[in-house]
Structures are given as structure tokens and as C-alpha cells.
Amino acid sequence: MSNNPAPGLLFVVSAPSATGKTTVIEQLVQLVPGLKMSRSYTSRPRREGETDGVDYNFVSRDAFEAQIAAGGFLEWADVFGNYYGTSWHETEARLAAGEDLVLVIDVQGARQVRAARPETVAVFMLPPSFAVLEERLRKRSSEPEAAMARRLATARQEVSAVDAYDYVVVNDVLERCVGELAGIVMAERAKLARRRAAIQPIIDSF
Ligand code: ADP
Ligand code: 5GP
């Protein structure tokens, strides 16, 4: 018998900026054992309170472009003028080690991941309404008005991509949304194709 673990499940979660995806997914990975968040690469400047190698791997635009040229990204996108991407090698290595991984990425990146790995489970997170999204964005942000207007305009485009996803959750009450996402992870883990090898000894005992 092989000692290799079953490969992990790959989840992508997309949502318009300020929906609350970072807040929700940080709680989700605390709640669900064996579920880990992927760490993206970005060329955007580090914000106050962020740590290199924890929140993101912060790299220069040149270094990012060199990685694109070398085919180092499973997916990458230009979001609000900065590059963001997910390492092929790191993702494959973690999945091969049996980790279930969540990528919190924009809709362009999610499309690329689904094309490369069609078995990916894609979840779209919506705010309760456009007005609530705007409120959350203003509460969180110290950005100029024009930058916020750009995020809201992008949000309108992003929600039109919802039909390409497998699941949708609404981040109204935080705990409820986290619970629903945990339910999605559990349901995916319990699919017969996923459990087939693990249950064989039970079947054989009959
Ligand atoms: P994103 O990662 O989607 O850009 P954040 O996780 O940074 O969003 O959340 C944006 C703002 O909304 C933050 O101030 C956060 O505290 C707040 N927030 C997140 N989820 C909820 C919720 N369910 N109810 C109220 N406020 C929320
Ligand atoms: P922020 O700069 O606010 O951290 O993130 C801005 C946007 O970039 C968010 O929509 C976030 O989901 C997206 N993002 C973060 N990491 C990645 C990534 O690796 N790939 C892609 N395509 N988008 C990402």
C-alpha cells in the first residue's frame, strides 16, 4: 500500500473588495481542521499591519514579471493596477501533501484555476447588498474617493461572474457565513469519489 496521502481539495473564494472574504476565511481556517489558506504573491506595496511572508509574499514588479515569464504561476491577474498571483509549485506541493487549500482570489484568477484544475471547488461570496458593500468599504478604507469608486465599479463587474461558480454564500452575519462555508468544505470532503479508498476496508469487512 502507498504511504502517499490522498491529494487535497482545492477551493477558490472570490468576492468584491470589502465583502469580508479575508475576515471570513481567517475564521474558517481556524474552525476547520486540515484546511489552509494559500499565500499569494503580489507587487502591491505592503500596508501598515501586514507582514511579508504572512499576509502575502511581497515582491517587486520586475520579480513578478520574471515569474510570469518562467511560467511560475497557477494563475495571476492585474487587480487595481497591481499584480497578484498563486505559485504553481507551492500549490501542487501542498495539495500533494494532502492539505485542503483555499485560494482567496479575484474572478480573473478563479477562471484560470478552474481551467487548469477543473475539479476546483469555486465559491462566490456576496455582501448582503451593494449599499452594505459600500458601507464596509468606507469603514475599512483610508483610500481616496476615486480609488473607492473604482473598487465599487469593479464590484459591479465581478458579481456578474457569479454564474461560473459552484456555490454562493452571503456574508451577512459573520458566524453564519463562516458556518455555511464550513458546511461546503465538509460536504466536498464527504463525496463518495473522495472517500472511496478510505471506506474500502469498511466495505470489505462485510
Ligand atoms: P475583503 O477581504 O473582502 O476585502 P475584509 O475582510 O477586509 O474584506 O472586510 C471588509 C470590512 O467589512 C472590514 O472592516 C470587516 O471588519 C467588515 N466585515 C467583514 N465581515 C462582516 C460582517 N459579516 N458584518 C459586518 N462587517 C463585516
Ligand atoms: P488586496 O490588495 O485588498 O489584499 O486584494 C485585492 C484583490 O486581489 C482581492 O480581490 C483579492 O481577492 C485579490 N487577490 C489576492 N491574491 C490574489 C491572487 O493570488 N490572485 C488573484 N487573481 N487575485 C488575488
Side-chain angles (χ1 to χ4, degrees), residues 15-26 47 104 125 128 132-133 135-137 139-141 151 170-175 177:
S17 182
T19 298
K21 55 192 175 299
T22 310
T23 310
V24 170
I25 303 305
E26 277 173 1
R47 291 182 191 138
V104 183
M125 191 186 298
V132 171
L133 180 71
E135 209 176 279
R136 287 184 189 165
L137 185 62
K139 197 179 81 183
R140 180 189 69 176
S141 182
R151 284 185 193 265
V170 177
N171 182 20
D172 42 17
V173 178
L174 183 61
E175 295 69 28
C177 184

Tab-separated table of all heavy atoms in Angstrom, residues 15-26 47 104 125 128 132-133 135-137 139-141 151 170-175 177, ligand 1:
chain	number	residue	atom	x	y	z
A	15	ALA	N	-14.832	37.382	-4.127
A	15	ALA	CA	-15.860	38.329	-3.666
A	15	ALA	C	-15.381	39.723	-3.983
A	15	ALA	O	-14.172	39.976	-4.007
A	15	ALA	CB	-16.063	38.201	-2.160
A	16	PRO	N	-16.298	40.651	-4.215
A	16	PRO	CA	-15.859	42.032	-4.398
A	16	PRO	C	-15.100	42.526	-3.167
A	16	PRO	O	-15.356	42.076	-2.049
A	16	PRO	CB	-17.180	42.799	-4.545
A	16	PRO	CG	-18.178	41.788	-4.971
A	16	PRO	CD	-17.749	40.491	-4.343
A	17	SER	N	-14.173	43.437	-3.404
A	17	SER	CA	-13.369	44.016	-2.334
A	17	SER	C	-14.281	44.577	-1.241
A	17	SER	O	-15.262	45.265	-1.538
A	17	SER	CB	-12.527	45.147	-2.947
A	17	SER	OG	-11.701	45.704	-1.979
A	18	ALA	N	-13.965	44.252	0.026
A	18	ALA	CA	-14.680	44.701	1.231
A	18	ALA	C	-15.940	43.895	1.546
A	18	ALA	O	-16.656	44.216	2.495
A	18	ALA	CB	-15.009	46.195	1.205
A	19	THR	N	-16.187	42.809	0.804
A	19	THR	CA	-17.308	41.917	1.156
A	19	THR	C	-17.065	41.283	2.526
A	19	THR	O	-18.008	41.005	3.272
A	19	THR	CB	-17.470	40.806	0.085
A	19	THR	OG1	-17.770	41.425	-1.157
A	19	THR	CG2	-18.562	39.827	0.445
A	20	GLY	N	-15.770	41.052	2.820
A	20	GLY	CA	-15.417	40.427	4.097
A	20	GLY	C	-14.733	39.089	3.931
A	20	GLY	O	-14.624	38.307	4.864
A	21	LYS	N	-14.199	38.819	2.730
A	21	LYS	CA	-13.662	37.477	2.479
A	21	LYS	C	-12.447	37.167	3.358
A	21	LYS	O	-12.322	36.043	3.849
A	21	LYS	CB	-13.366	37.238	0.994
A	21	LYS	CG	-12.457	38.229	0.337
A	21	LYS	CD	-12.483	38.046	-1.164
A	21	LYS	CE	-11.667	39.120	-1.870
A	21	LYS	NZ	-12.184	40.492	-1.613
A	22	THR	N	-11.581	38.160	3.590
A	22	THR	CA	-10.403	37.898	4.431
A	22	THR	C	-10.856	37.560	5.849
A	22	THR	O	-10.401	36.566	6.445
A	22	THR	CB	-9.477	39.133	4.452
A	22	THR	OG1	-9.252	39.534	3.101
A	22	THR	CG2	-8.155	38.830	5.117
A	23	THR	N	-11.784	38.363	6.381
A	23	THR	CA	-12.309	38.142	7.735
A	23	THR	C	-12.934	36.745	7.835
A	23	THR	O	-12.656	35.989	8.775
A	23	THR	CB	-13.396	39.209	8.040
A	23	THR	OG1	-12.874	40.499	7.731
A	23	THR	CG2	-13.849	39.165	9.476
A	24	VAL	N	-13.757	36.386	6.860
A	24	VAL	CA	-14.476	35.106	6.896
A	24	VAL	C	-13.505	33.928	6.766
A	24	VAL	O	-13.574	32.961	7.537
A	24	VAL	CB	-15.531	35.053	5.760
A	24	VAL	CG1	-16.111	33.650	5.612
A	24	VAL	CG2	-16.647	36.059	6.022
A	25	ILE	N	-12.571	34.015	5.819
A	25	ILE	CA	-11.696	32.856	5.560
A	25	ILE	C	-10.702	32.658	6.707
A	25	ILE	O	-10.359	31.524	7.053
A	25	ILE	CB	-10.974	32.974	4.190
A	25	ILE	CG1	-11.997	33.116	3.050
A	25	ILE	CG2	-10.063	31.769	3.936
A	25	ILE	CD1	-13.056	32.022	2.973
A	26	GLU	N	-10.278	33.757	7.334
A	26	GLU	CA	-9.397	33.594	8.506
A	26	GLU	C	-10.114	32.811	9.608
A	26	GLU	O	-9.525	31.961	10.262
A	26	GLU	CB	-8.911	34.962	8.999
A	26	GLU	CG	-7.712	35.423	8.173
A	26	GLU	CD	-7.240	36.832	8.463
A	26	GLU	OE1	-7.832	37.492	9.331
A	26	GLU	OE2	-6.270	37.267	7.798
A	47	ARG	N	0.769	47.113	3.219
A	47	ARG	CA	0.009	48.076	4.030
A	47	ARG	C	0.476	47.980	5.475
A	47	ARG	O	1.023	46.957	5.890
A	47	ARG	CB	-1.492	47.741	4.000
A	47	ARG	CG	-2.146	47.968	2.672
A	47	ARG	CD	-3.657	47.654	2.779
A	47	ARG	NE	-4.263	47.611	1.472
A	47	ARG	CZ	-5.168	46.704	1.074
A	47	ARG	NH1	-5.567	45.763	1.914
A	47	ARG	NH2	-5.668	46.740	-0.137
A	104	VAL	N	-7.918	32.740	-1.966
A	104	VAL	CA	-8.844	33.885	-1.927
A	104	VAL	C	-8.387	34.826	-3.036
A	104	VAL	O	-7.435	35.596	-2.869
A	104	VAL	CB	-8.822	34.570	-0.547
A	104	VAL	CG1	-9.843	35.709	-0.503
A	104	VAL	CG2	-9.128	33.558	0.546
A	125	MET	N	-18.668	34.809	-2.815
A	125	MET	CA	-19.239	35.417	-1.610
A	125	MET	C	-19.826	36.782	-1.963
A	125	MET	O	-19.141	37.614	-2.560
A	125	MET	CB	-18.139	35.578	-0.552
A	125	MET	CG	-18.681	35.952	0.817
A	125	MET	SD	-17.334	36.283	1.968
A	125	MET	CE	-16.537	34.708	1.992
A	128	PRO	N	-24.520	41.510	1.638
A	128	PRO	CA	-25.987	41.500	1.665
A	128	PRO	C	-26.609	42.418	0.615
A	128	PRO	O	-27.727	42.174	0.160
A	128	PRO	CB	-26.336	41.983	3.071
A	128	PRO	CG	-25.108	41.792	3.875
A	128	PRO	CD	-23.949	41.879	2.943
A	132	VAL	N	-24.518	47.879	1.488
A	132	VAL	CA	-23.725	47.372	2.617
A	132	VAL	C	-22.252	47.254	2.203
A	132	VAL	O	-21.342	47.564	2.987
A	132	VAL	CB	-24.280	46.022	3.133
A	132	VAL	CG1	-23.337	45.386	4.142
A	132	VAL	CG2	-25.658	46.220	3.747
A	133	LEU	N	-22.014	46.844	0.958
A	133	LEU	CA	-20.625	46.749	0.468
A	133	LEU	C	-19.953	48.125	0.548
A	133	LEU	O	-18.817	48.250	1.028
A	133	LEU	CB	-20.608	46.237	-0.971
A	133	LEU	CG	-19.213	46.094	-1.577
A	133	LEU	CD1	-18.470	44.920	-0.947
A	133	LEU	CD2	-19.287	45.895	-3.089
A	135	GLU	N	-20.707	50.611	2.424
A	135	GLU	CA	-20.522	50.942	3.853
A	135	GLU	C	-19.254	50.264	4.402
A	135	GLU	O	-18.442	50.894	5.070
A	135	GLU	CB	-21.745	50.385	4.581
A	135	GLU	CG	-22.201	51.083	5.831
A	135	GLU	CD	-23.488	50.396	6.286
A	135	GLU	OE1	-24.575	50.701	5.745
A	135	GLU	OE2	-23.386	49.504	7.147
A	136	ARG	N	-19.083	48.972	4.111
A	136	ARG	CA	-17.904	48.229	4.615
A	136	ARG	C	-16.622	48.790	4.008
A	136	ARG	O	-15.597	48.887	4.674
A	136	ARG	CB	-18.039	46.730	4.297
A	136	ARG	CG	-19.054	46.054	5.168
A	136	ARG	CD	-19.139	44.550	4.941
A	136	ARG	NE	-20.293	44.020	5.661
A	136	ARG	CZ	-20.826	42.827	5.474
A	136	ARG	NH1	-20.290	41.989	4.594
A	136	ARG	NH2	-21.874	42.435	6.178
A	137	LEU	N	-16.709	49.149	2.731
A	137	LEU	CA	-15.521	49.695	2.056
A	137	LEU	C	-15.114	51.019	2.709
A	137	LEU	O	-13.934	51.242	2.998
A	137	LEU	CB	-15.834	49.887	0.575
A	137	LEU	CG	-14.685	50.326	-0.316
A	137	LEU	CD1	-13.575	49.278	-0.329
A	137	LEU	CD2	-15.180	50.546	-1.754
A	139	LYS	N	-15.833	52.091	5.710
A	139	LYS	CA	-15.419	51.879	7.100
A	139	LYS	C	-13.954	51.427	7.172
A	139	LYS	O	-13.192	51.853	8.021
A	139	LYS	CB	-16.331	50.813	7.746
A	139	LYS	CG	-16.274	50.813	9.250
A	139	LYS	CD	-17.211	49.770	9.850
A	139	LYS	CE	-16.585	48.376	9.827
A	139	LYS	NZ	-17.425	47.308	10.317
A	140	ARG	N	-13.578	50.561	6.237
A	140	ARG	CA	-12.244	49.969	6.279
A	140	ARG	C	-11.174	50.871	5.674
A	140	ARG	O	-10.015	50.863	6.096
A	140	ARG	CB	-12.260	48.644	5.506
A	140	ARG	CG	-10.920	47.943	5.491
A	140	ARG	CD	-10.905	46.784	4.551
A	140	ARG	NE	-10.961	47.190	3.157
A	140	ARG	CZ	-10.882	46.360	2.134
A	140	ARG	NH1	-10.754	45.071	2.356
A	140	ARG	NH2	-10.915	46.791	0.903
A	141	SER	N	-11.582	51.680	4.678
A	141	SER	CA	-10.587	52.271	3.802
A	141	SER	C	-10.212	53.701	4.150
A	141	SER	O	-11.051	54.492	4.561
A	141	SER	CB	-11.117	52.225	2.373
A	141	SER	OG	-10.157	52.754	1.520
A	151	ARG	N	-13.148	50.603	-6.999
A	151	ARG	CA	-13.454	49.291	-6.397
A	151	ARG	C	-14.943	48.959	-6.540
A	151	ARG	O	-15.313	47.817	-6.792
A	151	ARG	CB	-13.068	49.287	-4.910
A	151	ARG	CG	-11.574	49.160	-4.702
A	151	ARG	CD	-11.214	49.037	-3.245
A	151	ARG	NE	-9.796	49.219	-3.044
A	151	ARG	CZ	-8.909	48.218	-2.973
A	151	ARG	NH1	-9.308	46.973	-3.049
A	151	ARG	NH2	-7.631	48.484	-2.815
A	170	VAL	N	-23.686	34.323	1.311
A	170	VAL	CA	-23.889	35.750	1.567
A	170	VAL	C	-23.269	36.078	2.930
A	170	VAL	O	-23.580	35.424	3.923
A	170	VAL	CB	-25.396	36.106	1.550
A	170	VAL	CG1	-25.601	37.578	1.883
A	170	VAL	CG2	-26.008	35.777	0.185
A	171	ASN	N	-22.361	37.033	2.935
A	171	ASN	CA	-21.736	37.426	4.212
A	171	ASN	C	-22.574	38.523	4.876
A	171	ASN	O	-22.265	39.696	4.800
A	171	ASN	CB	-20.298	37.902	3.985
A	171	ASN	CG	-19.609	38.273	5.301
A	171	ASN	OD1	-20.045	37.842	6.375
A	171	ASN	ND2	-18.557	39.062	5.215
A	172	ASP	N	-23.655	38.066	5.525
A	172	ASP	CA	-24.480	39.000	6.300
A	172	ASP	C	-24.009	38.958	7.750
A	172	ASP	O	-23.296	39.837	8.208
A	172	ASP	CB	-25.971	38.674	6.129
A	172	ASP	CG	-26.255	37.167	6.168
A	172	ASP	OD1	-25.394	36.397	6.638
A	172	ASP	OD2	-27.335	36.756	5.733
A	173	VAL	N	-24.363	37.870	8.457
A	173	VAL	CA	-23.857	37.674	9.822
A	173	VAL	C	-22.607	36.798	9.711
A	173	VAL	O	-22.656	35.701	9.150
A	173	VAL	CB	-24.928	37.004	10.715
A	173	VAL	CG1	-24.383	36.753	12.109
A	173	VAL	CG2	-26.178	37.876	10.756
A	174	LEU	N	-21.505	37.321	10.236
A	174	LEU	CA	-20.201	36.674	10.054
A	174	LEU	C	-20.213	35.179	10.407
A	174	LEU	O	-19.807	34.333	9.606
A	174	LEU	CB	-19.157	37.436	10.887
A	174	LEU	CG	-17.721	36.981	10.781
A	174	LEU	CD1	-17.194	37.113	9.357
A	174	LEU	CD2	-16.845	37.793	11.737
A	175	GLU	N	-20.678	34.854	11.612
A	175	GLU	CA	-20.624	33.460	12.093
A	175	GLU	C	-21.462	32.545	11.198
A	175	GLU	O	-21.101	31.392	10.955
A	175	GLU	CB	-21.141	33.341	13.541
A	175	GLU	CG	-20.299	34.049	14.588
A	175	GLU	CD	-20.354	35.573	14.498
A	175	GLU	OE1	-21.391	36.119	14.013
A	175	GLU	OE2	-19.370	36.228	14.889
A	177	CYS	N	-22.088	32.953	8.009
A	177	CYS	CA	-21.385	32.784	6.731
A	177	CYS	C	-20.222	31.801	6.881
A	177	CYS	O	-20.027	30.920	6.029
A	177	CYS	CB	-20.903	34.157	6.243
A	177	CYS	SG	-20.121	34.085	4.632
B	1	ADP	P1	-12.241	41.733	1.817
B	1	ADP	O1	-11.138	40.791	2.227
B	1	ADP	O2	-13.363	41.047	1.112
B	1	ADP	O3	-11.753	42.924	1.051
B	1	ADP	P2	-12.404	42.403	4.683
B	1	ADP	O4	-12.325	41.041	5.309
B	1	ADP	O5	-11.209	43.294	4.771
B	1	ADP	O6	-12.917	42.327	3.165
B	1	ADP	O7	-13.678	43.129	5.350
B	1	ADP	C1	-14.095	44.440	4.971
B	1	ADP	C2	-14.732	45.153	6.189
B	1	ADP	O8	-16.004	44.567	6.477
B	1	ADP	C3	-13.881	45.034	7.452
B	1	ADP	O9	-13.970	46.252	8.173
B	1	ADP	C4	-14.573	43.885	8.213
B	1	ADP	O10	-14.378	44.007	9.602
B	1	ADP	C5	-16.026	44.097	7.834
B	1	ADP	N1	-16.831	42.852	7.849
B	1	ADP	C6	-16.476	41.630	7.369
B	1	ADP	N2	-17.498	40.744	7.524
B	1	ADP	C7	-18.519	41.417	8.106
B	1	ADP	C8	-19.850	41.067	8.528
B	1	ADP	N3	-20.334	39.829	8.358
B	1	ADP	N4	-20.607	42.022	9.085
B	1	ADP	C9	-20.137	43.280	9.250
B	1	ADP	N5	-18.905	43.699	8.887
B	1	ADP	C10	-18.096	42.778	8.305
